[in-house]
Amino acid sequence: MKKLLQNPKNCWSKKSRKKQDTQSSTPAITRVDDYAQHLKNTRYFFPTSVRYLVADGYYYRSQFWEAVRELKLDFIGKLRVDANLRYLYTGE
């Protein structure tokens, strides 16, 4: 019967571990960047009367927000839970 190694990570060579680390790094373009670029590419297919974009709070990120403002659209959506609000709404 074969004896199993206690820690399987120790059996990998340093070279293979380094290769895995570089593969797991973040890609050059994120999903939000891709969606912002898609919006820019398809904006001209919208009727000219469209002024508002309604989306989930996930899209309240600076990259997407800047793309929406660049296209002269108003953004409607629920803010993310971790939104950094600078001014507290007083109700007036």
Side-chain angles (χ1 to χ4, degrees), residues 3-39:
K3 185 177 178 183
L4 296 175
L5 296 172
Q6 295 296 330
N7 189 353
K9 282 188 176 182
N10 291 338
C11 66
W12 296 343
S13 68
K14 288 182 180 180
K15 195 175 194 179
S16 66
R17 275 188 275 163
K18 188 175 185 178
K19 188 176 181 181
Q20 287 178 348
D21 291 342
T22 58
Q23 289 175 350
S24 66
S25 64
T26 57
I29 185 167
T30 64
R31 183 187 305 182
V32 175
D33 293 330
D34 188 41
Y35 291 160
Q37 187 60 45
H38 178 73
L39 181 64

Side-chain angles (χ1 to χ4, degrees), residues 25-77:
S25 64
T26 57
I29 185 167
T30 64
R31 183 187 305 182
V32 175
D33 293 330
D34 188 41
Y35 291 160
Q37 187 60 45
H38 178 73
L39 181 64
K40 288 178 184 179
N41 293 340
T42 58
R43 170 63 173 118
Y44 301 105
F45 295 109
F46 296 170
T48 54
S49 61
V50 173
R51 288 186 37 211
Y52 301 100
L53 178 71
V54 179
D56 189 57
Y58 176 79
Y59 299 100
Y60 267 104
R61 297 177 185 230
S62 62
Q63 309 100 307
F64 195 78
W65 176 255
E66 289 168 6
V68 170
R69 295 305 302 156
E70 185 179 305
L71 295 171
K72 297 182 177 24
L73 291 171
D74 294 319
F75 195 69
I76 299 173

